[in-house]
Amino acid sequence: MSILVKNGHIVTVSEDFVGDLLIRNGKVEAIGTNLSDSEAERIIDATGKLVMPGGIDPHVHLDMPFMGTFSSDNYSSGTLAALHGGTTMVIDFILQTQGKSLNDALREWRARSDGNAFGDYSFHMAVTDFNDETAKEIKDIIDKEGITSFKTFMAYKGALMIDDGQMVGLMKEVKRHGGMVTVHATNGDMIDALIAKHKSEGKLSPLYHYLSQPEVTEAEASGRFCDMANYTGVPAYIVHMTCEGALNAVRSASVRNQKIFVETCIQYLILDASLYEKDFEGAKWVMSPPLRQKKDQEALWAGINQGLIQIVGTDHCPFNWYQKLMGKDDFSKIPNGHPAIEHRMELLYSEGVAKGKISLNKYVELSSTNSAKIFGMYPQKGCIAPGSDADIIIFDPEKEHILSASSHHMNVDYSAYEGWKVKGKTESVILRGEIAIDKGEVKVEKGYGQFIKRNKISKIV
Ligand code: URP
Ligand code: ZN
Ligand code: ZN
């Protein structure tokens, strides 16, 4: 199919102009003004609309076994909800089971994902058990599978956490083969001690989830991670950063000319810890790390404009209310995570661009281009340029709407943003040259989403 998107306000990380876009055979073919209508089978009039690269969310958990249950969006519902919101590609996490191999985990995840996605996807490989056998698997995971980022957890002891010796060993091996190490940077031992203390005192409500993970637990682990990455020289990335203290650890690393890539998530920019004061309703926002204070939101917005934070993701990890109720009498049993995959692009526009906190170009960087660059997909993904995949969103910057569980497409029975008024709406979405969402209507089928192999990190960072 060929499509001509006419008279749109085309935005990339460096440009911002009114023009036309010709799409053919899944790729962007030409960008210009007054491109001829006769070139295309389908014309889309984008007058007054923003035309931007499709969103890439590099932090989602679909159909993931976690805390005794599974996250409630699978690859179909999750990637479809993402498309509705303007996210054309996600990067999910494979979790190695301690005692088993990375390849076992890869097979398990591909059995759930392949043939089921509406939007494009890739994986990070979470290494939860680094040993001599795991080390041997790293090269092929990168070279043959095109999975070039390795996730680590400094918390969730007994399930996902690795110790510092394993971290350094993994970093050396990943660096040798051209990959990147990413981290959930919180101090697991400190957190476990605080959880035990609160439980022994009978403090069992969601508020104590928050109070068991104070800022210092994230700041300390972030600094330690930066030091280990500096020692090994591995390309390094911190996921879901929430607070000023952790950001300052990265700022300190930058003083010695070390580059640490940083992702925050939309919720940490716009929600705060006062939500945990709502008794058990606070379980809707039980996630790790927890929501923080207003001063942390300000630090994160500043960090974005200072170039210390490159990406805004979601850490989408939804659970239905009956699943959250698993922790009704004990906050430590509430499955951690909240739903946001569908709302990231619109919330970031509404709270960021429309409120004057970030520029349109910065919006494109944070929501799409930087993920493609950092995770080895640029310029195939994350940009509007001749030869790139035609992953394009047509976005109405003026349209106001209200977020609600009654209208969202995610497979979860509550909204973490119920009643939020949002300015800006994804109108249509093109994925690899096919119209995927046409003014809210789904035009592609389950299975259209492809697994995207990624390049070595060392080539692009
Ligand atoms: O609460 C969260 N973040 N759940 C998903 C797992 C993780 O730590 O990212
Ligand atoms: Zn995490
Ligand atoms: Zn996560």
Side-chain angles (χ1 to χ4, degrees):
M1 189 188 210
S2 54
I3 306 171
L4 184 64
V5 182
K6 279 187 78 83
N7 290 321
H9 179 172
I10 299 173
V11 188
T12 68
V13 291
S14 55
E15 287 176 297
D16 181 346
F17 59 95
V18 173
D20 307 335
L21 202 59
L22 179 63
I23 293 166
R24 201 191 307 278
N25 298 330
K27 303 281 180 192
V28 174
E29 186 168 290
I31 307 161
T33 44
N34 301 318
L35 297 183
S36 161
D37 288 8
S38 63
E39 295 278 353
E41 294 153 71
R42 165 98 194 246
I43 314 277
I44 298 178
D45 179 7
T47 306
K49 308 285 158 55
L50 299 172
V51 176
M52 302 184 283
I56 301 173
D57 185 344
H59 193 149
V60 306
H61 301 277
L62 302 175
D63 218 348
M64 180 177 79
F66 189 53
M67 295 185 73
T69 185
F70 277 76
S71 56
S72 62
D73 263 319
N74 59 23
Y75 290 85
S76 303
S77 62
T79 58
L80 185 55
L83 282 178
H84 276 287
T87 291
T88 49
M89 175 166 181
V90 299
I91 314 184
D92 191 31
F93 292 83
I94 296 173
L95 303 183
Q96 177 190 20
T97 300
Q98 292 179 343
K100 290 188 167 180
S101 72
L102 299 181
N103 279 298
D104 285 339
L106 174 58
R107 275 189 291 277
E108 196 190 314
W109 254 258
R110 292 204 78 147
R112 284 197 288 270
S113 59
D114 290 5
N116 288 325
F118 283 84
D120 286 353
Y121 61 100
S122 174
F123 296 122
H124 307 280
M125 175 62 76
V127 178
T128 64
D129 190 2
F130 184 73
N131 54 45
D132 291 348
E133 295 308 308
T134 318
K136 288 183 202 139
E137 298 185 271
I138 303 282
K139 182 177 188 309
D140 280 357
I141 298 281
I142 294 177
D143 290 342
K144 296 206 175 123
E145 306 295 344
I147 296 172
T148 54
S149 47
F150 293 81
K151 168 78 178 295
T152 59
F153 292 88
M154 295 168 85
Y156 303 119
K157 199 170 188 170
L160 304 174
M161 178 170 153
I162 57 172
D163 64 27
D164 293 349
Q166 290 176 304
M167 178 72 87
V168 168
L170 174 69
M171 283 177 163
K172 286 181 175 165
E173 199 60 27
V174 169
K175 176 182 160 62
R176 204 151 78 87
H177 299 295
M180 169 178 282
V181 171
T182 78
V183 69
H184 171 127
T186 60
N187 184 318
D189 287 331
M190 282 177 79
I191 292 167
D192 287 348
L194 282 166
I195 291 173
K197 174 180 177 295
H198 287 135
K199 284 171 66 164
S200 74
E201 293 167 353
K203 294 170 174 166
L204 299 169
S205 71
L207 176 65
Y208 291 93
H209 170 79
Y210 166 63
L211 293 174
S212 298
Q213 301 200 33
E215 181 175 6
V216 63
T217 60
E218 190 178 338
E220 185 282 330
S222 299
R224 186 158 34 102
F225 175 78
C226 292
D227 287 345
M228 291 186 282
N230 192 45
Y231 169 68
T232 58
V234 74
Y237 177 101
I238 300 179
V239 307
H240 57 37
M241 186 176 282
T242 69
C243 59
E244 188 182 14
L247 190 63
N248 283 340
V250 170
R251 206 184 306 273
S252 300
S254 74
V255 171
R256 65 188 170 205
N257 204 22
Q258 183 188 7
K259 182 72 190 171
I260 297 282
F261 295 102
V262 177
E263 160 204 295
T264 187
C265 294
I266 188 65
Q267 61 272 25
Y268 300 121
L269 290 167
I270 65 176
L271 303 178
D272 68 70
S274 60
L275 290 166
Y276 299 122
E277 283 156 21
K278 291 173 171 249
D279 293 326
F280 193 71
E281 199 195 342
K284 290 179 180 172
W285 300 279
V286 163
M287 62 185 83
S288 292
L291 301 172
R292 304 283 186 200
Q293 302 290 324
K294 294 254 187 266
K295 62 107 183 155
D296 297 297
Q297 295 178 354
E298 280 163 27
L300 294 175
W301 283 113
I304 282 173
N305 284 317
Q306 290 157 356
L308 287 169
I309 297 173
Q310 293 80 30
I311 291 178
V312 176
T314 57
D315 194 7
H316 176 72
C317 191
F319 296 99
N320 280 301
W321 193 240
Y322 80 88
Q323 296 172 293
K324 290 282 183 181
L325 283 171
M326 290 163 69
K328 193 168 64 62
D329 302 317
D330 175 356
F331 69 87
S332 70
K333 296 198 167 59
I334 300 169
N336 285 199
H338 100 308
I341 201 168
E342 183 170 353
H343 300 321
R344 178 185 68 121
M345 299 291 282
E346 292 172 354
L347 282 170
L348 184 61
Y349 182 87
S350 188
E351 295 294 315
V353 181
K355 292 195 173 166
K357 291 195 170 79
I358 54 170
S359 70
L360 262 178
N361 302 107
K362 182 61 91 177
Y363 175 80
V364 172
E365 272 185 33
L366 295 168
S367 65
S368 177
T369 310
N370 282 348
S371 286
K373 286 185 173 169
I374 291 170
F375 290 113
M377 299 178 283
Y378 187 84
Q380 179 190 354
K381 300 283 188 194
C383 61
I384 302 180
S388 293
D389 282 2
D391 300 346
I392 305 290
I393 61 171
I394 297 162
F395 190 90
D396 184 341
E398 298 302 327
K399 177 103 177 169
E400 295 187 357
H401 60 119
I402 291 178
L403 304 184
S404 171
S406 61
S407 53
H408 73 207
H409 300 85
M410 298 176 285
N411 183 38
V412 55
D413 56 4
Y414 74 88
S415 173
Y417 303 91
E418 189 65 44
W420 270 66
K421 286 201 181 83
V422 175
K423 185 169 183 203
K425 188 160 182 24
T426 303
E427 187 179 277
S428 297
V429 178
I430 299 170
L431 174 56
R432 280 179 283 103
E434 294 292 330
I435 296 174
I437 304 289
D438 193 2
K439 299 194 172 140
E441 243 181 83
V442 183
K443 297 288 182 187
V444 287
E445 307 214 322
K446 180 168 119 171
Y448 181 69
Q450 281 184 2
F451 175 76
I452 303 294
K453 282 191 172 185
R454 296 186 280 118
N455 295 316
K456 290 192 182 195
I457 305 299
S458 50
K459 284 197 183 144
I460 50 109
V461 173

